[in-house]
Amino acid sequence: MSGYPVIEQDGECASVTTKREATGRWMAWVHFERGADFARLKGHATTPHRVPNDYPSEEQAVLAAYAYARERIAAGKTDA
């Protein structure tokens, strides 16, 4: 699994992880944390959200995960 920089939006932080499947396709997950909680915990205390679909490249999976995270934060559906 690979980790990527954290994004912050509206007091929420989201981190992304990816994994290459045996098929060669890439899957991604997003972990959401409240800003202050993330700074204090520096770990994943919440359940990861699986990004819908899989992708032909790691780059596409990461971009989709960031878009998914921004959408969930804007909708207030982070469960953080």
Side-chain angles (χ1 to χ4, degrees):
M1 280 199 159
S2 301
Y4 296 90
V6 172
I7 62 168
E8 294 183 56
Q9 179 178 315
D10 301 331
E12 300 276 351
C13 294
S15 60
V16 171
T17 55
T18 60
K19 181 179 179 189
R20 186 170 189 234
E21 291 297 302
T23 61
R25 307 269 305 169
W26 288 85
M27 296 171 40
W29 292 264
V30 177
H31 291 266
F32 294 100
E33 309 278 353
R34 293 216 181 336
D37 292 343
F38 187 82
R40 180 175 49 81
L41 296 173
K42 295 186 180 176
H44 300 303
T46 61
T47 303
H49 293 250
R50 169 78 162 80
V51 177
N53 301 317
D54 58 1
Y55 301 89
S57 71
E58 187 173 21
E59 179 183 7
Q60 289 176 332
V62 170
L63 293 175
Y66 283 140
Y68 176 78
R70 288 184 184 100
E71 290 170 11
R72 299 283 298 196
I73 291 170
K77 296 181 177 180
T78 63
D79 302 325

Coordinates of all heavy atoms in Angstrom, one line a residue:
M1 N 0.8 -1.2 0.0 CA 0.0 0.0 0.0 C 0.9 1.2 0.0 O 1.9 1.3 0.6 CB -0.9 0.0 1.2 CG -2.1 -0.8 1.1 SD -3.3 -0.3 2.4 CE -4.7 -1.0 1.6
S2 N 0.4 2.2 -0.7 CA 1.1 3.5 -0.7 C 0.3 4.6 0.0 O -0.9 4.5 0.0 CB 1.3 3.9 -2.2 OG 2.0 2.9 -2.9
G3 N 1.0 5.6 0.5 CA 0.3 6.7 1.2 C 0.7 8.0 0.5 O 1.7 8.1 -0.2
Y4 N -0.2 8.9 0.6 CA -0.1 10.2 -0.1 C -0.3 11.4 0.8 O -0.9 11.2 1.9 CB -1.0 10.2 -1.3 CG -0.7 9.2 -2.3 CD1 -1.2 7.9 -2.2 CD2 0.3 9.4 -3.3 CE1 -0.9 6.9 -3.1 CE2 0.6 8.5 -4.2 CZ 0.1 7.2 -4.1 OH 0.5 6.2 -4.9
P5 N 0.0 12.6 0.4 CA -0.2 13.7 1.3 C -1.6 13.9 1.7 O -2.5 13.6 1.0 CB 0.3 14.9 0.4 CG 1.2 14.3 -0.6 CD 0.7 12.9 -0.9
V6 N -1.8 14.4 2.9 CA -3.1 14.7 3.4 C -3.7 16.0 2.8 O -2.9 16.9 2.6 CB -3.0 14.9 5.0 CG1 -4.3 15.4 5.6 CG2 -2.5 13.6 5.6
I7 N -5.0 16.0 2.5 CA -5.6 17.2 2.1 C -6.5 17.7 3.2 O -7.0 16.9 4.1 CB -6.5 17.0 0.8 CG1 -7.6 16.0 1.0 CG2 -5.7 16.6 -0.4 CD1 -8.7 16.0 -0.1
E8 N -6.7 19.0 3.3 CA -7.5 19.6 4.3 C -8.6 20.4 3.7 O -8.3 21.2 2.7 CB -6.7 20.5 5.3 CG -5.7 19.7 6.1 CD -4.9 20.6 7.0 OE1 -5.5 21.3 7.8 OE2 -3.7 20.6 6.9
Q9 N -9.8 20.3 4.2 CA -10.9 21.1 3.6 C -12.0 21.2 4.7 O -12.4 20.2 5.3 CB -11.5 20.4 2.4 CG -12.7 21.0 1.8 CD -13.2 20.3 0.6 OE1 -12.4 19.9 -0.3 NE2 -14.5 20.1 0.5
D10 N -12.4 22.4 5.0 CA -13.5 22.7 5.9 C -13.3 22.0 7.3 O -14.2 21.4 7.9 CB -14.9 22.2 5.4 CG -15.2 22.9 4.1 OD1 -14.8 24.1 3.9 OD2 -15.9 22.3 3.2
G11 N -12.1 22.0 7.8 CA -11.8 21.5 9.1 C -11.6 20.0 9.1 O -11.5 19.4 10.2
E12 N -11.7 19.3 8.0 CA -11.5 17.9 7.9 C -10.2 17.6 7.2 O -9.8 18.4 6.3 CB -12.6 17.3 7.1 CG -14.0 17.5 7.6 CD -14.4 16.5 8.7 OE1 -13.6 15.5 8.9 OE2 -15.4 16.7 9.4
C13 N -9.6 16.5 7.5 CA -8.4 16.0 6.8 C -8.7 14.7 6.2 O -9.5 13.9 6.8 CB -7.2 15.8 7.8 SG -6.7 17.4 8.5
A14 N -8.1 14.4 5.0 CA -8.3 13.2 4.4 C -7.0 12.7 3.9 O -6.2 13.4 3.3 CB -9.3 13.3 3.2
S15 N -6.7 11.4 4.2 CA -5.5 10.8 3.6 C -5.9 9.6 2.7 O -7.0 9.0 2.9 CB -4.6 10.3 4.8 OG -5.3 9.3 5.6
V16 N -5.0 9.4 1.8 CA -5.3 8.4 0.7 C -4.3 7.2 0.8 O -3.1 7.5 1.0 CB -5.3 9.1 -0.7 CG1 -5.4 8.1 -1.8 CG2 -6.4 10.1 -0.8
T17 N -4.8 6.0 0.6 CA -3.9 4.9 0.4 C -4.4 4.2 -0.8 O -5.6 4.2 -1.2 CB -3.9 3.9 1.6 OG1 -5.3 3.5 1.9 CG2 -3.4 4.6 2.8
T18 N -3.4 3.5 -1.5 CA -3.8 2.7 -2.7 C -3.2 1.3 -2.6 O -2.3 1.1 -1.8 CB -3.2 3.4 -4.0 OG1 -1.8 3.5 -3.8 CG2 -3.8 4.8 -4.2
K19 N -3.7 0.4 -3.4 CA -3.1 -0.9 -3.5 C -3.3 -1.5 -4.9 O -4.4 -1.3 -5.5 CB -3.9 -1.8 -2.5 CG -3.3 -3.2 -2.5 CD -4.0 -4.1 -1.5 CE -3.5 -5.5 -1.5 NZ -4.3 -6.4 -0.7
R20 N -2.3 -2.1 -5.4 CA -2.3 -2.7 -6.7 C -2.9 -4.1 -6.5 O -2.4 -4.9 -5.8 CB -1.0 -2.7 -7.4 CG -1.0 -3.2 -8.8 CD 0.3 -3.0 -9.5 NE 0.2 -3.3 -10.9 CZ 0.9 -4.2 -11.5 NH1 1.9 -4.8 -10.9 NH2 0.7 -4.4 -12.8
E21 N -3.9 -4.4 -7.3 CA -4.5 -5.7 -7.2 C -3.8 -6.7 -8.2 O -3.0 -6.3 -9.0 CB -6.0 -5.6 -7.6 CG -6.8 -4.9 -6.6 CD -6.9 -5.6 -5.3 OE1 -7.3 -6.8 -5.2 OE2 -6.5 -5.0 -4.3
A22 N -4.0 -8.0 -8.0 CA -3.4 -9.0 -8.8 C -3.7 -8.8 -10.3 O -2.9 -9.2 -11.2 CB -3.8 -10.4 -8.3
T23 N -4.8 -8.2 -10.6 CA -5.2 -7.9 -12.0 C -4.4 -6.8 -12.6 O -4.6 -6.6 -13.8 CB -6.7 -7.5 -12.0 OG1 -6.9 -6.3 -11.3 CG2 -7.6 -8.6 -11.4
G24 N -3.7 -6.1 -11.8 CA -2.9 -4.9 -12.3 C -3.7 -3.6 -12.2 O -3.1 -2.5 -12.4
R25 N -4.9 -3.7 -11.7 CA -5.7 -2.5 -11.5 C -5.4 -1.9 -10.1 O -4.9 -2.7 -9.3 CB -7.2 -2.8 -11.6 CG -7.6 -3.5 -12.9 CD -8.0 -2.7 -14.1 NE -9.1 -1.7 -13.8 CZ -9.4 -0.8 -14.6 NH1 -8.8 -0.6 -15.8 NH2 -10.4 0.1 -14.3
W26 N -5.8 -0.7 -9.9 CA -5.5 0.0 -8.6 C -6.8 0.3 -7.9 O -7.8 0.8 -8.5 CB -4.7 1.3 -8.8 CG -3.3 1.0 -9.3 CD1 -2.9 0.7 -10.5 CD2 -2.2 0.9 -8.4 NE1 -1.5 0.5 -10.5 CE2 -1.1 0.6 -9.2 CE3 -2.0 1.0 -7.0 CZ2 0.2 0.4 -8.7 CZ3 -0.7 0.9 -6.5 CH2 0.3 0.6 -7.4
M27 N -6.8 0.1 -6.6 CA -7.9 0.4 -5.7 C -7.4 1.5 -4.7 O -6.2 1.6 -4.4 CB -8.4 -0.8 -4.9 CG -8.9 -1.9 -5.8 SD -9.2 -3.5 -4.9 CE -9.9 -3.0 -3.4
A28 N -8.3 2.3 -4.2 CA -8.0 3.4 -3.3 C -9.0 3.5 -2.1 O -10.1 3.1 -2.3 CB -7.9 4.7 -4.0
W29 N -8.5 4.0 -1.0 CA -9.3 4.2 0.2 C -8.9 5.6 0.7 O -7.8 6.1 0.5 CB -8.9 3.2 1.3 CG -9.3 1.8 1.0 CD1 -10.4 1.2 1.4 CD2 -8.5 0.9 0.2 NE1 -10.4 -0.1 0.9 CE2 -9.3 -0.3 0.2 CE3 -7.3 0.9 -0.5 CZ2 -8.9 -1.5 -0.5 CZ3 -6.9 -0.2 -1.1 CH2 -7.7 -1.4 -1.2
V30 N -9.9 6.2 1.4 CA -9.7 7.5 2.0 C -10.0 7.4 3.5 O -11.1 6.7 3.9 CB -10.7 8.6 1.4 CG1 -10.5 9.9 2.1 CG2 -10.4 8.7 -0.1
H31 N -9.2 7.9 4.3 CA -9.4 8.0 5.8 C -9.7 9.4 6.1 O -8.9 10.3 5.7 CB -8.1 7.6 6.6 CG -7.8 6.1 6.4 ND1 -8.2 5.2 7.4 CD2 -7.1 5.5 5.5 CE1 -7.7 4.0 7.0 NE2 -7.0 4.2 5.9
F32 N -10.8 9.7 6.8 CA -11.1 11.0 7.2 C -10.9 11.2 8.7 O -11.1 10.4 9.5 CB -12.6 11.3 7.0 CG -13.0 11.3 5.5 CD1 -13.6 10.1 5.0 CD2 -12.8 12.4 4.7 CE1 -13.9 10.1 3.6 CE2 -13.1 12.4 3.4 CZ -13.7 11.2 2.8
E33 N -10.4 12.4 9.1 CA -10.1 12.8 10.5 C -10.5 14.3 10.6 O -10.3 15.1 9.6 CB -8.7 12.6 10.8 CG -8.1 11.3 10.5 CD -8.4 10.2 11.6 OE1 -9.0 10.6 12.6 OE2 -8.0 9.1 11.3
R34 N -11.0 14.7 11.7 CA -11.1 16.1 12.0 C -9.7 16.7 12.1 O -8.8 16.0 12.6 CB -11.9 16.3 13.3 CG -13.4 15.9 13.1 CD -14.3 16.8 13.9 NE -15.7 16.4 13.8 CZ -16.4 15.7 13.0 NH1 -15.9 15.2 12.0 NH2 -17.7 15.6 13.1
G35 N -9.6 17.9 11.7 CA -8.2 18.6 11.7 C -7.5 18.4 13.0 O -6.3 17.9 13.0
A36 N -8.1 18.8 14.1 CA -7.4 18.7 15.4 C -7.1 17.3 15.8 O -6.0 17.0 16.3 CB -8.2 19.4 16.4
D37 N -8.0 16.4 15.5 CA -7.8 15.0 15.8 C -6.7 14.4 15.0 O -5.9 13.6 15.6 CB -9.1 14.2 15.5 CG -10.3 14.5 16.5 OD1 -10.0 15.1 17.5 OD2 -11.4 14.2 16.1
F38 N -6.6 14.8 13.8 CA -5.6 14.2 12.9 C -4.2 14.6 13.4 O -3.3 13.8 13.5 CB -5.7 14.7 11.5 CG -4.8 14.0 10.5 CD1 -5.1 12.7 10.1 CD2 -3.6 14.6 10.2 CE1 -4.2 12.1 9.2 CE2 -2.7 14.0 9.3 CZ -3.0 12.7 8.8
A39 N -4.1 15.9 13.8 CA -2.8 16.4 14.3 C -2.4 15.7 15.6 O -1.2 15.4 15.8 CB -2.9 17.9 14.5
R40 N -3.4 15.4 16.4 CA -3.1 14.7 17.7 C -2.8 13.2 17.5 O -1.9 12.7 18.1 CB -4.3 14.9 18.6 CG -4.1 14.3 20.0 CD -5.3 14.7 20.9 NE -6.6 14.4 20.4 CZ -7.2 13.3 20.3 NH1 -6.6 12.2 20.7 NH2 -8.4 13.2 19.7
L41 N -3.6 12.6 16.7 CA -3.5 11.1 16.6 C -2.4 10.6 15.6 O -1.8 9.6 15.9 CB -4.9 10.5 16.1 CG -6.0 10.7 17.1 CD1 -7.3 10.3 16.4 CD2 -5.8 10.0 18.4
K42 N -2.3 11.3 14.5 CA -1.3 11.0 13.5 C -1.4 9.5 13.1 O -0.5 8.8 12.9 CB 0.1 11.3 13.9 CG 0.3 12.8 14.1 CD 1.8 13.1 14.4 CE 1.9 14.6 14.5 NZ 3.2 15.0 14.9
G43 N -2.7 9.1 13.0 CA -2.9 7.7 12.6 C -4.4 7.6 12.2 O -5.1 8.6 12.1
H44 N -4.8 6.4 11.8 CA -6.1 6.2 11.3 C -7.0 5.6 12.4 O -7.0 4.5 12.6 CB -6.1 5.3 10.1 CG -5.3 5.8 8.9 ND1 -5.5 7.0 8.4 CD2 -4.2 5.3 8.3 CE1 -4.6 7.2 7.4 NE2 -3.8 6.2 7.4
A45 N -7.8 6.5 13.0 CA -8.7 6.1 14.0 C -10.1 5.8 13.5 O -10.9 5.4 14.2 CB -8.7 7.2 15.1
T46 N -10.3 6.1 12.2 CA -11.6 6.0 11.6 C -11.5 4.8 10.6 O -10.5 4.4 10.1 CB -12.0 7.2 10.9 OG1 -11.1 7.6 9.9 CG2 -12.1 8.4 11.8
T47 N -12.7 4.4 10.2 CA -12.8 3.3 9.2 C -12.5 3.9 7.8 O -13.0 4.9 7.5 CB -14.2 2.7 9.2 OG1 -14.4 2.2 10.6 CG2 -14.3 1.6 8.2
P48 N -11.7 3.2 7.0 CA -11.4 3.8 5.7 C -12.7 3.6 4.8 O -13.5 2.7 4.9 CB -10.3 2.9 5.2 CG -10.4 1.6 5.9 CD -11.0 2.0 7.3
H49 N -12.8 4.6 3.9 CA -13.9 4.6 2.9 C -13.3 4.1 1.6 O -12.3 4.7 1.1 CB -14.4 6.0 2.7 CG -15.2 6.5 3.9 ND1 -16.5 6.7 3.9 CD2 -14.7 6.9 5.1 CE1 -16.9 7.2 5.1 NE2 -15.8 7.3 5.8
R50 N -13.8 3.1 1.0 CA -13.4 2.5 -0.3 C -13.8 3.5 -1.4 O -15.0 3.8 -1.5 CB -13.9 1.1 -0.5 CG -13.7 0.6 -1.9 CD -12.3 0.1 -2.1 NE -12.3 -0.8 -3.2 CZ -12.2 -0.5 -4.5 NH1 -12.3 0.8 -4.8 NH2 -12.2 -1.4 -5.4
V51 N -12.9 3.9 -2.2 CA -13.3 4.7 -3.3 C -13.9 3.8 -4.4 O -13.4 2.8 -4.7 CB -12.0 5.4 -3.9 CG1 -12.4 6.2 -5.2 CG2 -11.4 6.3 -2.9
P52 N -15.1 4.2 -4.9 CA -15.8 3.4 -5.9 C -14.9 3.1 -7.1 O -14.1 4.0 -7.5 CB -17.0 4.2 -6.3 CG -17.3 5.1 -5.1 CD -15.9 5.4 -4.6
N53 N -15.0 2.0 -7.7 CA -14.3 1.6 -8.9 C -12.9 1.2 -8.7 O -12.4 1.4 -7.6 CB -14.4 2.7 -10.0 CG -15.8 3.0 -10.4 OD1 -16.7 2.1 -10.5 ND2 -16.2 4.3 -10.5
D54 N -12.2 0.7 -9.7 CA -10.8 0.5 -9.6 C -10.2 1.2 -10.9 O -11.0 1.6 -11.8 CB -10.4 -1.0 -9.6 CG -11.0 -1.8 -10.7 OD1 -11.6 -1.2 -11.6 OD2 -10.7 -3.0 -10.7
Y55 N -8.9 1.4 -11.0 CA -8.4 2.2 -12.0 C -7.2 1.6 -12.6 O -6.4 0.8 -12.0 CB -8.0 3.6 -11.3 CG -9.2 4.2 -10.7 CD1 -9.5 4.0 -9.4 CD2 -10.0 5.0 -11.4 CE1 -10.7 4.5 -8.8 CE2 -11.1 5.6 -10.9 CZ -11.5 5.3 -9.6 OH -12.6 5.9 -9.1
P56 N -6.9 2.0 -13.9 CA -5.8 1.3 -14.6 C -4.4 1.8 -14.2 O -3.4 1.1 -14.4 CB -6.0 1.8 -16.1 CG -6.8 3.0 -16.0 CD -7.7 2.9 -14.7
S57 N -4.3 2.9 -13.4 CA -3.0 3.4 -12.9 C -3.2 3.9 -11.5 O -4.3 4.3 -11.1 CB -2.5 4.5 -13.8 OG -3.2 5.7 -13.7
E58 N -2.0 3.9 -10.8 CA -2.0 4.4 -9.5 C -2.4 5.9 -9.4 O -3.1 6.4 -8.6 CB -0.7 4.2 -8.8 CG -0.7 4.5 -7.3 CD 0.7 4.1 -6.7 OE1 1.7 3.9 -7.4 OE2 0.6 4.0 -5.4
E59 N -1.9 6.6 -10.4 CA -2.2 8.1 -10.5 C -3.7 8.3 -10.6 O -4.2 9.2 -9.9 CB -1.4 8.7 -11.7 CG -1.7 10.2 -11.8 CD -1.0 10.8 -13.1 OE1 -0.5 10.0 -13.9 OE2 -1.1 12.0 -13.2
Q60 N -4.3 7.6 -11.5 CA -5.8 7.8 -11.6 C -6.5 7.4 -10.3 O -7.5 8.1 -10.0 CB -6.3 7.0 -12.8 CG -5.9 7.5 -14.1 CD -6.3 6.7 -15.3 OE1 -6.5 5.5 -15.2 NE2 -6.5 7.3 -16.5
A61 N -6.1 6.4 -9.6 CA -6.7 6.0 -8.4 C -6.6 7.1 -7.3 O -7.5 7.4 -6.6 CB -6.1 4.7 -7.9
V62 N -5.4 7.7 -7.3 CA -5.1 8.8 -6.3 C -6.0 10.0 -6.6 O -6.6 10.6 -5.8 CB -3.6 9.2 -6.3 CG1 -3.4 10.4 -5.5 CG2 -2.8 8.0 -5.7
L63 N -6.0 10.4 -7.9 CA -6.8 11.5 -8.3 C -8.3 11.3 -8.0 O -9.0 12.2 -7.5 CB -6.6 11.9 -9.8 CG -5.2 12.3 -10.2 CD1 -5.1 12.5 -11.7 CD2 -4.9 13.7 -9.5
A64 N -8.8 10.1 -8.3 CA -10.2 9.8 -8.0 C -10.4 9.8 -6.4 O -11.5 10.2 -6.0 CB -10.5 8.4 -8.5
A65 N -9.5 9.3 -5.7 CA -9.6 9.3 -4.2 C -9.7 10.8 -3.7 O -10.5 11.1 -2.8 CB -8.5 8.6 -3.6
Y66 N -8.8 11.7 -4.2 CA -8.9 13.1 -3.7 C -10.2 13.7 -4.1 O -10.8 14.4 -3.3 CB -7.7 13.9 -4.3 CG -6.4 13.6 -3.6 CD1 -5.2 13.5 -4.3 CD2 -6.4 13.5 -2.2 CE1 -4.0 13.3 -3.6 CE2 -5.2 13.3 -1.5 CZ -4.0 13.2 -2.3 OH -2.8 13.0 -1.6
A67 N -10.7 13.4 -5.3 CA -12.0 13.9 -5.7 C -13.1 13.4 -4.8 O -14.0 14.1 -4.4 CB -12.3 13.6 -7.2
Y68 N -13.1 12.1 -4.5 CA -14.0 11.4 -3.7 C -14.0 12.1 -2.3 O -15.1 12.3 -1.7 CB -13.7 9.9 -3.6 CG -14.6 9.1 -2.7 CD1 -15.9 8.7 -3.0 CD2 -14.1 8.7 -1.4 CE1 -16.7 8.0 -2.2 CE2 -14.9 7.9 -0.6 CZ -16.2 7.6 -1.0 OH -16.9 6.8 -0.1
A69 N -12.8 12.3 -1.8 CA -12.7 12.9 -0.4 C -13.3 14.3 -0.4 O -14.0 14.6 0.5 CB -11.2 13.0 0.0
R70 N -13.0 15.1 -1.4 CA -13.6 16.5 -1.4 C -15.1 16.4 -1.5 O -15.8 17.2 -0.8 CB -13.0 17.2 -2.6 CG -11.5 17.6 -2.4 CD -11.0 18.4 -3.6 NE -9.6 18.7 -3.4 CZ -8.6 18.0 -4.0 NH1 -8.9 17.1 -4.9 NH2 -7.4 18.3 -3.8
E71 N -15.6 15.5 -2.3 CA -17.1 15.4 -2.4 C -17.7 15.0 -1.1 O -18.7 15.5 -0.6 CB -17.5 14.3 -3.5 CG -17.2 14.8 -4.9 CD -17.3 13.6 -5.9 OE1 -17.9 12.5 -5.5 OE2 -16.9 13.8 -7.0
R72 N -17.1 14.0 -0.4 CA -17.6 13.5 0.9 C -17.6 14.6 2.0 O -18.5 14.8 2.8 CB -16.9 12.3 1.4 CG -16.9 11.1 0.5 CD -18.2 10.3 0.6 NE -18.5 9.8 1.9 CZ -19.3 8.8 2.1 NH1 -20.0 8.3 1.2 NH2 -19.5 8.4 3.4
I73 N -16.5 15.4 2.0 CA -16.3 16.5 2.9 C -17.4 17.5 2.7 O -18.0 18.0 3.6 CB -14.9 17.0 2.9 CG1 -13.9 16.0 3.5 CG2 -14.8 18.4 3.7 CD1 -12.4 16.4 3.3
A74 N -17.5 17.9 1.4 CA -18.5 18.9 1.1 C -19.9 18.5 1.4 O -20.8 19.4 1.8 CB -18.4 19.3 -0.4
A75 N -20.2 17.2 1.3 CA -21.6 16.7 1.7 C -21.7 16.4 3.1 O -22.8 16.1 3.6 CB -21.8 15.5 0.9
G76 N -20.6 16.6 3.9 CA -20.7 16.3 5.4 C -20.8 14.8 5.7 O -21.3 14.4 6.7
K77 N -20.3 13.9 4.8 CA -20.4 12.5 4.9 C -19.1 11.8 5.2 O -18.7 10.9 4.5 CB -21.1 11.9 3.7 CG -22.5 12.4 3.5 CD -23.1 11.7 2.3 CE -24.6 12.2 2.1 NZ -25.2 11.6 0.9
T78 N -18.3 12.3 6.1 CA -17.0 11.7 6.4 C -17.0 10.7 7.6 O -16.1 9.9 7.7 CB -16.0 12.8 6.7 OG1 -16.4 13.5 7.9 CG2 -15.9 13.8 5.6
D79 N -18.0 10.8 8.4 CA -18.1 9.9 9.6 C -16.8 10.0 10.5 O -16.4 9.1 11.1 CB -18.3 8.5 9.2 CG -19.6 8.3 8.5 OD1 -20.6 9.0 8.7 OD2 -19.6 7.4 7.6
A80 N -16.1 11.2 10.4 CA -14.9 11.4 11.2 C -15.2 11.8 12.6 O -16.3 12.4 12.9 CB -14.0 12.4 10.5

